[in-house]
Structure formats: structure tokens, C-alpha cells
Amino acid sequence: MKVFAEKFADLKILRFAVPGFEALDLTKKLYIYHLSQAALCGRDILWDQNNRFNLRIRAVLETMRRTFKGNRETDQFKSFEVYLKRVWFSNGIHHHYSTEKIPAGFPETYFTELVEQSDWSGFKANSGQSFEVFIAEIQDVIFNPEKEAKRVNLDSKDDLVASSSNNYYQDVTQNEAETFYAELKTTAGAEPVSFGLNSTLVKEDGRLTEHVWKLDGKYGKAIEQIIFWLEKAVKYAENDLQKKYIGHLIEYYITGSLALFDQYSIDWVKELEGDVDFVNGFIEVYGDPLGIKGSWESIVNYKDKEATKRATILSENAQWFEDNSPVAPEFKKTAVKGVSAKVINVAILAGDCYPATPIGINLPNAEWIREKHGSKSVTIENITQAYFLDSMNNGMLEEFAGSVDEIARARQFGYLAGNLHTDLHECLGHGSGKVLEGVSTENLKNYYSTIEETRADLFALYYMLDNQMLKLGLLPSVEAAKAEYDVYLRNGLLTQLTRIEPGKDIEESHMRNRQLIARWVYEAGKAQNVVEFVSSEGKTYVRINDYQALRELFGQLLKEIQRIKSEGDFEAAKQLVENYSVKVDRQLHEEILARFKKLDLAPYSGFLNPVYQLKTYPCGTPADVLISYDEDYTSQMLRYSQDYGFLVNQ
Ligand code: ZN
């Protein structure tokens, strides 16, 4: 399987492998297959949530793409194809990240040409509308910059609801929506449902009312299909708790009852025995400037046994790591419990997780459920792996690594070492250390998250080069640890600057923490030349001269950062963050940006899904589920519209 599929505009399409799928037993494969179908059936819901014109625009553009009789070799037709691919990628006409309307990239007169030379027989316009009126409206939405300008507007000067062109509210002002939900909340107790999560708020005859997304309500045609496949999936569930929560989920889709959704979430959190897991529903609220309405998404996944073993080993040895850290004894925990993290592979991505996808899942979102019943936090191994494989081939490593050894180390060990760093950071780093009585996160105020991320990263870096890693079988050789030190400093001192605009400072706390560590060890080891900047043909590189000494410096800084957190030493936190992590060396920044620009990389990536095919015996009994990766992006998009376009022409 090739990871890279194609590139257009500012986007890159990749593929993820589904390792070990063939080796799963048939029941698990069938469970995944039916859940995947349930996942794909919700596609149109998200399109309509994102904007009320999206489904109609998609139908128009796809008809043009299929039936245009004019010359398909012109630049204009190619620009039209890029526009359609961008719309597919964003699940609508707004950029998936900036949420601004995507410019068509071809003239309006060419749109007319596309209309005139395409075949509209059998095309259904909206009921009661002539085709001419319909297409004129679509054209206006695509080309008029004033129309549907931004999907999610967060500019507090504006009415956030009225000025956002998502489809969660109709003829409703921000004030009306906020008042409506604030009043509902006053009726709730300590365990409130997520009011408004699964409905469109509309004004009808001057009164506010919710159009609930359920079987006999809005989006019913797609929800009917989701239920159909969930009901089939239940038969293959691995245990009774899975059966129970799928039952709740189906009931929730039928009734729209948010209390049932909470019931489902609680059972879902408790279910830890099975290998296969999934998310299917109205989940994240980023698409709504008020953070109330849930966009539809689905992910189906199964446990990565090897990688989970890695996290379990760390967790089981948590006390050893605590006892042996360079932190002062009074700031160590006497009894430490590692967080056991689960590592998963995704089988399918859908809705708001497709094609742009998260690399981890942390759900449910309801705060009281998290506190009372816990949450599931997982990292997605096969997605991070695909990103890594792609990064090895995009030219970044050759451009910024300081030597051939460094490149070889990164290729051989980078992925493994990076994962181990993440595990150390998540399973042990954040949970280590203790805070003196009376000290809380508030003591460090705005510097807290940078300090906390710094602490977890240093914990990981310090142990990376420890013999214990080899003893526990977590690393194959010291070279792997060196690969992690290389990439950490290269990123902290050079490559992460590619994400900062010229003239700007560093704001994001993870980026701050990386520069804090990299700059601090560079300065602290200057006299011994532990780390140095070298320049060759106008290009700056980072060279590590003494890995062992570098490890000692990580340890020293960890000791100090832990003290700062434990004592709540605001002044010291401020000094470190402000001196090391915020400011950017302007000249170096310019150089890095210029080198990065030459590589011509796409800033955003998304993933194609593999294709699952159910094989049956002549009698109809399922025999196997086959997986293939050869479908290209356009074919996948057209097939999804064909097979799962349940809400077009509603
Ligand atoms: Zn962290």
C-alpha cells in the first residue's frame, strides 16, 4: 500500500493501512464491517449541518463532473475539478480549517458553460423550484463573496449565530439561542443532558423550537440507514455490554432522547474488554460558535495489541520510574499509578473525522460523566504511522537533518522512538511528581500548561536514554533514543518555526514547551559544547555532540520544573517561559521559512478509507470480509455520494 495518494490546493490525501485486519477472527471482521457501513451512512448529515446548500451544491458539481460534454483538458476544467475535490475534502463549501468559503478558482462565466454543457436529465432540483431559479441560487452561493461567507464565526463583535453560515440555527439570533438553552439548563440537576446537542434550533411563527435529529425527524433518512446497520452489527458484538450500549444508541437515534445518549455514553466508557470499539453520533461541538450542536461523526477501531503492551509495561513499572527520577525526594509520589493507555487502529473514518482526522480520541464530552464514570483516551496507531511514513518522504528530513547518520537513525528508529516518547509523556510524565499542600495549578496562572507539558516531555526525554528502556524491551538500541533526541532538538530549535508566521512569537503551549526545553539545554550546555548550531552553505543545522551530557541536562531541567510546579513558583515559571520559549530568532526564522517554502508541502492532510467487501457463501452466510486500498480519491467520493447520498433532494 502506498501512503501518498494525491495532492491539490493546500491539501494532501494519504492512505492508512489497517494492520492485522486479515488475521482477525471472522466475527470481529463482521462486527467491524457492519459498524463501518453504519459509519458511512451518516455522511450527508454532516454535509447538511455544515451548510444548508452543501448537498445541493455537491449534486450539481458531481453532475457536471460526470456529464460535462465540453473539453475536459482545459485549465478551467482542471480548476473546476480541484474546486470539487476541495469541497469534498471539507464536507462542504467552507475550508475545513479556516471555515471560510472556498474560492471557486475559475470564472463565473465558466460555471455557466459547465451548466450549459452538462446533462441535467434526471436531475432533481428542489421541489417547487424551476431548474433556472435553482441553478441561479447555487451559482450565487458559490460566487458571491457576501453569501455564506464563513461557516463558524468567532468574532465577538458579531452576532455569532447570525453571522455563521453553518446550519444549526434558522432565523435565530445569538441572544435568542443563548437564552433558550440557559433556561433549559436551569431545569437540570447535577447530571444535565447535553441540551441542544442533537437538534436544529428554528424560529417558527415567532416561537423557538427544536427540530430533533432522529428517525422520524430531521435527517431521518440517513438515521434509518445507520440504525439498520447497527442492528445488524449487534449480532457480532463481543460481549453483553457492547450489545447493551448499541441498544441504547439505537433507541437514542429512534427517540432523540439525550438521556439515552448519556446512558449509552456511560456504558460505552465502562466497556473495556472487547477489542473492537466505535464512535457513532453527534459528538464534537466545534462547528457551532456557541459550542452546543454536535456534528455527526463516526470512527470504528480495534485494539493494537503490540502497542498496547508497550503502554502496559510502562504502567506496570510506574513506581520504578518515579523512584529513579532526578526530581527532589520531597516532590516524588510514594505510591504512583500509571495511566494505562489503549492504542488502537482505525478501520474506517466518517463524518467529521473524514478525511481530516484526529490522532487520538478522548470521550465522552459530558463533564459530569467524565468525573463520575471516567473517559476513554486512545491514540490511533495506524494514523500516526501513516503521518510518519509520509514525513519520511516529503523532503523535510533531508532538508533539516544535520548529517547522514541522523537521517539514517530517523528512518530506522524515528517512529518507534516517537511513540515511546508519547507513551512516557502520557502514561507516566503527567502523573508523576507531587505538589505541596495548598499549591494548585492556579499558582502558575497562564504559564501552567507550558510548564506542565514541559515537565511531561522532560520526563520522557530523561528516560529515553535510560538502560531500563533496553531492559524492559521497549527500545532495541541506544541509537533509537538518540533518534528521539535528534528530532526533539531539531524540531524545538528549527522545524517547528515553519508553523509560525513571519514576525510572530510562539503562543501555543506545546510549541512553547518544546522551544523552552531545546533552548534551555542549548544554553546550559554551551560551555561544554553539548549542542551546537552549525552552518553550511547558508543553512543552519543542529548538532548534538554529547548525548549523555544532554540527558543530564534534561534531568537537571526536570528537577527544576518539578520544583516550580510543586511549590507553585510563579516567578520562576515566568522567567523560564518568557526567556526561552516565546521569542523567535528573526533571522533564523526567515531562513527556515524560506527553506520550508521550497519544499512546497501541503499544510493539511486527510485520509482515504480502505474498501471493505463482504464475501458470502451461495446460501448467503458471510464467509469473509476483504479489505483493499486501491480506490482513488475521486472514485471514493463519487461512490460515497452514489451509495450513501441519503439526504440529497430532501
Ligand atoms: Zn501532555
Side-chain angles (χ1 to χ4, degrees):
M1 189 211 68
K2 260 178 69 190
V3 172
F4 177 80
E6 67 175 291
K7 187 176 159 219
F8 49 85
D10 56 352
L11 305 168
K12 184 160 58 175
I13 305 292
L14 305 173
R15 289 189 184 86
F16 59 87
V18 186
F21 181 80
E22 281 94 344
L24 293 173
D25 69 50
L26 182 59
T27 313
K28 286 190 191 9
K29 281 188 193 173
L30 288 168
Y31 191 36
I32 290 173
Y33 172 79
H34 290 93
L35 292 171
S36 298
Q37 289 295 325
L40 295 172
C41 287
R43 180 179 186 238
D44 281 6
I45 298 176
L46 178 75
W47 280 71
D48 190 73
Q49 287 177 320
N50 282 344
N51 183 267
R52 66 197 176 101
F53 292 102
N54 277 340
L55 288 170
R56 278 173 274 167
I57 290 177
R58 190 183 78 198
V60 166
L61 298 176
E62 287 179 354
T63 300
M64 291 166 166
R65 170 73 180 63
R66 275 202 319 271
T67 68
F68 179 63
K69 292 183 284 281
N71 185 353
R72 287 172 171 253
E73 298 305 316
T74 63
D75 287 348
Q76 287 189 328
F77 190 78
K78 295 212 157 56
S79 301
F80 159 75
E81 284 184 308
V82 168
Y83 175 63
L84 174 55
K85 285 181 184 177
R86 296 183 75 183
V87 171
W88 279 332
F89 190 98
S90 295
N91 296 296
I93 55 173
H94 300 94
H95 192 278
H96 75 290
Y97 192 78
S98 76
T99 82
E100 272 160 31
K101 196 163 75 178
I102 302 165
F106 56 89
E108 214 170 333
T109 49
Y110 188 65
F111 184 84
T112 310
E113 209 174 302
L114 288 164
V115 172
E116 282 164 0
Q117 298 194 52
S118 296
D119 180 2
W120 301 97
S121 56
F123 185 89
K124 277 188 263 168
N126 260 24
S127 50
Q129 241 178 352
S130 73
F131 181 75
E132 287 67 31
V133 172
F134 166 78
I135 209 78
E137 187 177 29
I138 294 298
Q139 181 172 340
D140 195 40
V141 173
I142 295 174
F143 289 95
N144 183 347
E146 309 287 313
K147 281 271 166 74
E148 312 292 323
K150 195 162 188 194
R151 179 162 59 82
V152 187
N153 182 23
L154 294 171
D155 187 341
S156 56
K157 290 195 300 293
D158 303 327
D159 180 313
L160 300 183
V161 168
S163 63
S164 294
S165 43
N166 60 43
N167 197 18
Y168 293 122
Y169 304 89
Q170 283 165 21
D171 308 315
V172 176
T173 66
Q174 178 179 353
N175 193 16
E176 286 168 335
E178 281 172 343
T179 311
F180 183 86
Y181 287 111
E183 270 169 24
L184 280 180
K185 267 185 207 149
T186 59
T187 67
E191 300 181 351
V193 300
S194 306
F195 290 109
L197 185 72
N198 66 336
S199 65
T200 312
L201 186 64
V202 297
K203 202 190 277 172
E204 280 173 351
D205 306 325
R207 303 242 311 265
L208 289 179
T209 179
E210 286 185 315
H211 288 180
V212 179
W213 309 328
K214 57 176 181 167
L215 181 60
D216 64 350
K218 195 167 180 175
Y219 303 145
K221 286 235 162 67
I223 288 171
E224 184 183 8
Q225 296 293 324
I226 296 169
I227 294 172
F228 173 84
W229 288 105
L230 287 176
E231 279 174 344
K232 281 183 176 278
V234 172
K235 279 182 267 174
Y236 306 104
E238 298 167 288
N239 55 52
D240 287 344
L241 198 48
Q242 286 179 347
K243 285 184 185 153
K244 189 173 163 214
Y245 77 63
I246 295 177
H248 285 318
L249 183 60
I250 291 171
E251 277 301 303
Y252 160 62
Y253 272 133
I254 292 172
T255 61
S257 157
L258 286 165
L260 275 170
F261 178 63
D262 285 349
Q263 199 51 58
Y264 148 80
S265 300
I266 291 165
D267 287 331
W268 178 76
V269 163
K270 284 187 205 151
E271 200 286 300
L272 299 166
E273 294 306 309
D275 288 336
V276 180
D277 202 351
F278 72 98
V279 175
N280 184 312
F282 307 106
I283 309 291
E284 301 292 352
V285 294
Y286 306 112
D288 172 9
L290 303 187
I292 294 170
K293 307 292 174 188
S295 62
W296 192 88
E297 68 173 51
S298 184
I299 268 186
V300 181
N301 64 74
Y302 60 93
K303 213 179 271 176
D304 185 309
K305 297 232 164 96
E306 270 312 301
T308 301
K309 216 181 281 167
R310 199 177 63 209
T312 309
I313 292 175
L314 287 181
S315 219
E316 285 169 356
N317 288 277
Q319 193 64 51
W320 184 92
F321 286 96
E322 186 74 358
D323 293 345
N324 289 277
S325 89
V327 162
E330 63 269 34
F331 304 136
K332 284 185 187 180
K333 274 192 181 131
T334 40
V336 61
K337 226 174 131 239
V339 180
S340 68
K342 192 169 92 166
V343 184
I344 61 166
N345 290 311
V346 289
I348 204 112
L349 305 165
D352 222 358
C353 297
Y354 174 91
T357 178
I359 56 168
I361 303 171
N362 194 332
L363 289 172
N365 285 328
E367 206 46 57
W368 71 266
I369 297 180
R370 297 174 71 86
E371 271 166 32
K372 201 168 165 187
H373 303 279
S375 59
K376 279 186 190 171
S377 174
V378 297
T379 44
I380 307 177
E381 179 93 354
N382 57 341
I383 295 292
T384 44
Q385 184 173 28
Y387 278 130
F388 176 80
L389 291 172
D390 179 60
S391 78
M392 287 294 107
N393 292 314
N394 65 10
M396 277 291 276
L397 184 62
E398 285 75 9
E399 177 60 39
F400 291 102
S403 70
V404 285
D405 286 353
E406 203 177 314
I407 294 170
R409 264 200 300 273
R411 287 191 183 283
Q412 194 176 354
F413 300 113
Y415 180 62
L416 183 71
N419 279 342
L420 187 58
H421 177 106
T422 307
D423 290 342
L424 282 162
H425 176 117
E426 301 291 349
C427 305
L428 301 179
H430 280 304
S432 74
K434 88 174 168 209
V435 184
L436 296 184
E437 240 180 80
V439 175
S440 80
T441 59
E442 260 114 75
N443 290 66
L444 301 183
K445 295 180 191 152
N446 50 323
Y447 298 113
Y448 175 76
S449 51
T450 300
I451 292 293
E452 179 56 17
E453 291 310 321
T454 302
R455 199 177 67 86
D457 258 359
L458 284 166
F459 197 93
L461 289 165
Y462 178 77
Y463 278 116
M464 209 72 194
L465 201 63
D466 197 297
N467 271 334
Q468 193 73 2
M469 289 295 142
L470 304 177
K471 267 197 228 158
L472 292 173
L474 294 165
L475 277 188
S477 83
V478 175
E479 286 298 294
K482 287 186 179 175
E484 183 58 23
Y485 282 15
D486 293 339
V487 72
Y488 198 91
L489 290 200
R490 189 164 72 236
N491 188 30
L493 295 171
L494 305 176
T495 50
Q496 75 165 1
L497 295 178
T498 58
R499 289 156 60 191
I500 302 288
E501 283 175 45
K504 294 259 167 73
D505 288 336
I506 299 178
E507 285 176 21
E508 200 274 324
S509 53
H510 290 85
M511 291 180 74
R512 280 189 169 187
N513 110 245
R514 286 183 215 118
Q515 177 164 302
L516 194 165
I517 292 172
R519 280 271 160 197
W520 189 92
V521 293
Y522 166 71
E523 299 286 345
K526 225 174 189 172
Q528 288 79 40
N529 203 23
V530 177
V531 178
E532 66 177 328
F533 284 104
V534 291
S535 184
S536 161
E537 293 169 13
K539 291 181 178 180
T540 308
Y541 301 95
V542 173
R543 185 191 290 157
I544 300 171
N545 294 314
D546 188 338
Y547 287 87
Q548 210 53 53
L550 178 57
R551 180 188 186 219
E552 296 311 314
L553 292 174
F554 286 141
Q556 266 180 45
L557 185 57
L558 174 58
K559 189 175 178 201
E560 172 63 1
I561 294 281
Q562 182 63 57
R563 183 199 65 77
I564 290 172
K565 183 187 175 184
S566 295
E567 294 179 351
D569 188 342
F570 175 80
E571 264 316 307
K574 183 180 169 187
Q575 288 305 319
L576 274 177
V577 174
E578 293 295 343
N579 288 342
Y580 293 95
S581 76
V582 179
K583 292 282 170 243
V584 175
D585 178 332
R586 296 288 166 224
Q587 206 183 337
L588 180 63
H589 190 199
E590 245 172 64
E591 177 204 313
I592 301 298
L593 287 177
R595 287 161 70 185
F596 181 66
K597 199 167 170 227
K598 276 201 189 134
L599 296 174
D600 192 25
L601 302 179
Y604 307 102
S605 314
F607 288 88
L608 276 164
N609 277 319
V611 182
Y612 296 94
Q613 199 192 352
L614 183 64
K615 286 277 159 204
T616 53
Y617 294 112
C619 60
T621 310
D624 201 0
V625 179
L626 304 182
I627 184 170
S628 62
Y629 301 99
D630 38 20
E631 192 171 37
D632 68 42
Y633 184 58
T634 298
S635 308
Q636 184 154 98
M637 290 294 86
L638 291 173
R639 180 170 67 86
Y640 282 2
S641 297
Q642 180 74 36
D643 293 355
Y644 306 100
F646 300 118
L647 300 180
V648 184
N649 295 318
Q650 285 271 307

